[in-house]
Amino acid sequence: MAETYVTTAYERLQIAHLRWRKRLQKWISRSREKVSFVLIPNDEKPFAQIEISIGMLGFLFGLSLSLVLLSFGLLLYFSFFFDRNLSLEKKTETQLVSFLFYDLLSQDLKESVEELESTTESLNLLAWEEIPEKEMITQDYLLKEEFRKDASELDSNLLLFQQVVTTYTQFGVKLGNLVPNFQNAIDYLSMRESIFYSMPRGRPLKPGVGVVTSTFGYRSDPFGILPVGESHSGIDFAAGEGTPIYATGPGIIAVDTAVGGLGKSVRINHENGFFTLYGHCSLILVNPGDRVKRGDKIALVGQTGKATGAHVHYEVRIGLDSPLDPEEYINLD
């Protein structure tokens, strides 16, 4: 009886290994074989020949087939199985529209801030004559921009959002710098306006009433007592006796209403140290302590005191200083 030989598992594994190794070597050897592609032009010039190995050709074929299958799979997925998040898309579109809207507003804000800067500088030049608004105050304590701007194009919602925030931050800083400068100029001009309207302005008589018979400064003595003349501290307006005299500015009637040779007179204390005198009145219509406005009737023209005829003597003074030329204040009206 013939003997039967049974291979062991290790021997079978070795045999399988040798078979696959032989097949792999055969495939590698065959893959190294080259295939030529010949390009034949229409003219008689030499043709072009491209050689590529079978292995590389198989790799390229497999890669192309994989890309085609992947594209086809994605097409099927997005056509039949993909569930669109409509709420997210709508929210994104809404945000995009909002960003674009605020971007347009930021452009309007830019123009407004530039116009405000120009106006503020003109206002400060008007108020301070030679000092531009940038030199008005120190700006070290004001808001500084911390947001770094990216100069890349707005190719996404995030960049658009960053652009809008940057623009608003920049002009927020500019507005913060402009506010104190603008307020300083407004306060100063308001103070000047308050001073102006509290000053005596215009004539003590109605327009067209009375004539100037004596101006401010040195003049000959109307009584002929002083041969070298005298200093006249005001302006005399001649008018018929009983002609109304009006306050030239707002103020309070002083307690002492009689000043030397001015006879019956009225003194009005104005703000900022100004006061005015109205002398030679025939009748005083106000009482000490009364508050009057510009244009209020305070007395009537007369010739009391040292006077050669019916007229009102009008003076303008500041504190204890020498009398001022009333003509300068009359011309303010």
Side-chain angles (χ1 to χ4, degrees):
M1 182 176 181
E3 295 182 359
T4 302
Y5 180 76
V6 180
T7 59
T8 64
Y10 175 74
E11 291 175 335
R12 288 195 298 271
L13 184 61
Q14 280 190 326
I15 294 172
H17 171 71
L18 291 175
R19 287 177 180 174
W20 280 107
R21 183 177 179 181
K22 185 177 182 179
R23 289 176 184 175
L24 179 62
Q25 289 177 347
K26 183 178 180 181
W27 184 87
I28 292 174
S29 176
R30 188 171 181 180
S31 65
R32 290 176 178 173
E33 297 178 0
K34 294 185 178 180
V35 178
S36 298
F37 294 91
V38 180
L39 302 178
I40 303 176
N42 292 330
D43 53 15
E44 296 180 357
K45 295 180 180 180
F47 60 85
Q49 181 176 352
I50 301 175
E51 293 184 352
I52 187 172
S53 64
I54 294 178
M56 180 60 68
L57 186 63
F59 172 74
L60 294 177
F61 175 78
L63 180 62
S64 302
L65 181 62
S66 300
L67 292 175
V68 171
L69 293 176
L70 179 62
S71 302
F72 183 71
L74 291 175
L75 179 63
L76 290 178
Y77 173 74
F78 284 107
S79 299
F80 301 101
F81 303 101
F82 178 70
D83 185 15
R84 297 173 58 187
N85 192 338
L86 297 179
S87 61
L88 180 60
E89 291 181 5
K90 185 176 181 180
K91 183 178 180 180
T92 303
E93 292 176 357
T94 303
Q95 290 178 346
L96 178 60
V97 171
S98 299
F99 292 154
L100 292 174
F101 173 72
Y102 283 110
D103 186 56
L104 292 176
L105 288 183
S106 67
Q107 300 304 317
D108 294 338
L109 177 62
K110 177 180 178 181
E111 296 177 1
S112 300
V113 170
E114 290 175 351
E115 182 178 356
L116 182 59
E117 283 182 329
S118 177
T119 303
T120 303
E121 184 168 355
S122 300
L123 182 62
N124 279 287
L125 289 174
L126 175 63
W128 308 98
E129 296 183 353
E130 295 182 355
I131 305 177
E133 56 92 11
K134 294 180 182 178
E135 298 177 3
M136 288 298 301
I137 60 171
T138 176
Q139 299 179 1
D140 295 338
Y141 67 94
L142 296 175
L143 174 66
K144 301 299 181 183
E145 180 184 355
E146 299 293 343
F147 199 96
R148 189 178 70 85
K149 181 178 179 181
D150 188 359
S152 60
E153 296 181 356
L154 302 179
D155 53 0
S156 68
N157 289 1
L158 181 59
L159 291 178
L160 179 59
F161 172 75
Q162 178 175 324
Q163 175 69 20
V164 172
V165 172
T166 300
T167 302
Y168 273 86
T169 302
Q170 289 175 340
F171 291 105
V173 171
K174 287 189 176 182
L175 284 175
N177 293 343
L178 284 175
V179 167
N181 292 329
F182 191 83
Q183 191 60 49
N184 282 349
I186 289 295
D187 292 344
Y188 181 71
L189 290 176
S190 297
M191 180 183 67
R192 288 176 58 179
E193 182 183 31
S194 174
I195 293 174
F196 177 77
Y197 283 109
S198 65
M199 290 169 55
R201 295 177 291 122
R203 306 167 80 246
L205 304 179
K206 281 189 176 181
V209 176
V211 294
V212 176
T213 56
S214 183
T215 58
F216 177 82
Y218 280 93
R219 67 174 182 177
S220 59
D221 187 1
F223 296 95
I225 299 175
L226 302 174
V228 295
E230 65 176 356
S231 176
H232 190 229
S233 59
I235 293 179
D236 291 342
F237 293 89
E241 189 161 346
T243 301
I245 301 173
Y246 301 93
T248 57
I252 299 175
I253 305 300
V255 174
D256 184 9
T257 57
V259 183
L262 293 180
K264 293 182 179 180
S265 61
V266 178
R267 169 174 167 167
I268 302 178
N269 293 330
H270 308 281
E271 292 182 3
N272 304 301
F274 283 96
F275 69 87
T276 51
L277 290 174
Y278 310 79
H280 308 299
C281 305
S282 62
L283 180 63
I284 296 176
L285 305 177
V286 290
N287 299 309
D290 288 349
R291 183 177 294 275
V292 296
K293 301 187 299 294
R294 181 171 181 257
D296 285 351
K297 187 187 299 185
I298 58 174
L300 302 179
V301 172
Q303 49 184 330
T304 59
K306 185 181 176 182
T308 58
H311 71 282
V312 58
H313 172 86
Y314 177 59
E315 286 187 24
V316 177
R317 293 175 179 258
I318 298 180
L320 299 177
D321 294 343
S322 300
L324 305 172
D325 188 352
E327 184 177 359
E328 298 180 6
Y329 298 90
I330 290 173
N331 294 331
L332 288 177
D333 194 12

